[in-house]
Amino acid sequence: MIRSATAADLPHLPAIEVAAGRPFRAVGMDAIADDAPPSVSELAEYQRAGRAWVATGDDDTPIGYALALVLDDSVHVEQVSVDPAHAGQRLGAALIDEIESWAAERSFPWLTLTTFTDVPWNAPYYERLGFRVVPADEMTPGLTAIREREGAHGLDSWPRVTMRRIVGSALPTQPNGRDTD
Ligand SMILES: CC(C)(COP(=O)(O)OP(=O)(O)OC[C@H]1O[C@@H](n2cnc3c(N)ncnc32)[C@H](O)[C@@H]1OP(=O)(O)O)[C@@H](O)C(=O)NCCC(=O)NCCS
């Protein structure tokens, strides 16, 4: 189930982030695996603003989460993490769709994100979900600032890219409302 995060969910989220980071070791990106997860107080800022969502298991405990922020005229997907023990159930895609619904309700035209170009579950995955690289001349000041901040944090040690998806482009479109999956 996908739902808005509650304050009680927050202590579960750093461990999800650490677990989701582990596969980066297998592709030689140990520094990403070792990156400290966000603190509960950082997460609380998103949760209080209504921009944190969780994917939950049968007992309603979070097994994945996503954070978003408003950036220029778009909604930026700041983080999507799913515990690898629960990977491959489309939870990542569902969390992104939840952010998209939030953006659609507020009439934002784009979802944006930054990600690693060559990591199989990053840019190639987002491309399958309908995201496309933002052309250099369409980078907004907010996106440029995020890329600069990430570069200063060492993330540009590997090829990185900014992507966007038109809000509404991946939502169910069939007249009977059935999801196309
Ligand atoms: C990216 C992530 C959120 C996907 O979560 P998920 O619930 O497994 O996502 P889905 O079930 O919707 O899709 C999984 C996709 O990722 C791919 N994938 C996941 N782990 C993979 C791995 N280790 N190697 C290769 N592909 C992988 C799967 O092949 C699948 O692709 P497809 O179904 O489009 O063919 C999750 O892998 C994750 O938390 N990763 C670590 C954090 C991260 O990189 N976040 C994104 C950048 S901030």
Side-chain angles (χ1 to χ4, degrees), residues 20 24 80-82 87-93 120-122 125-126 128:
F24 283 94
V80 187
S81 291
V82 175
Q89 300 174 36
R90 315 303 302 164
L91 296 175
W121 58 92
N122 281 190
Y125 168 64
Y126 290 121
R128 289 197 296 281

Side-chain angles (χ1 to χ4, degrees), residues 7-110:
D9 292 325
L10 302 182
H12 294 279
L13 307 189
I16 293 172
E17 179 80 19
V18 170
R22 273 185 209 122
F24 283 94
R25 280 188 211 290
V27 290
M29 296 169 69
D30 290 30
I32 301 303
D34 293 338
D35 211 13
S39 66
V40 169
S41 65
E42 285 167 324
L43 292 165
E45 288 179 33
Y46 288 88
Q47 187 268 326
R48 280 196 297 264
R51 291 182 275 99
W53 295 266
V54 290
T56 59
D58 291 341
D59 62 356
D60 204 40
T61 304
I63 52 180
Y65 76 97
L67 308 174
L69 51 87
V70 174
L71 186 71
D72 299 325
D73 62 349
S74 300
V75 173
H76 189 72
V77 180
E78 176 62 20
Q79 186 68 46
V80 187
S81 291
V82 175
D83 183 334
H86 302 277
Q89 300 174 36
R90 315 303 302 164
L91 296 175
L95 283 163
I96 291 167
D97 285 349
E98 191 71 16
I99 296 177
E100 182 159 329
S101 296
W102 188 90
E105 282 162 21
R106 288 157 184 79
S107 301
F108 286 102
W110 296 101

Side-chain angles (χ1 to χ4, degrees), residues 119-145:
V119 174
W121 58 92
N122 281 190
Y125 168 64
Y126 290 121
E127 189 160 356
R128 289 197 296 281
L129 294 182
F131 285 83
R132 296 291 177 264
V133 173
V134 178
D137 61 353
E138 292 185 37
M139 286 286 285
T140 64
L143 288 172
T144 301

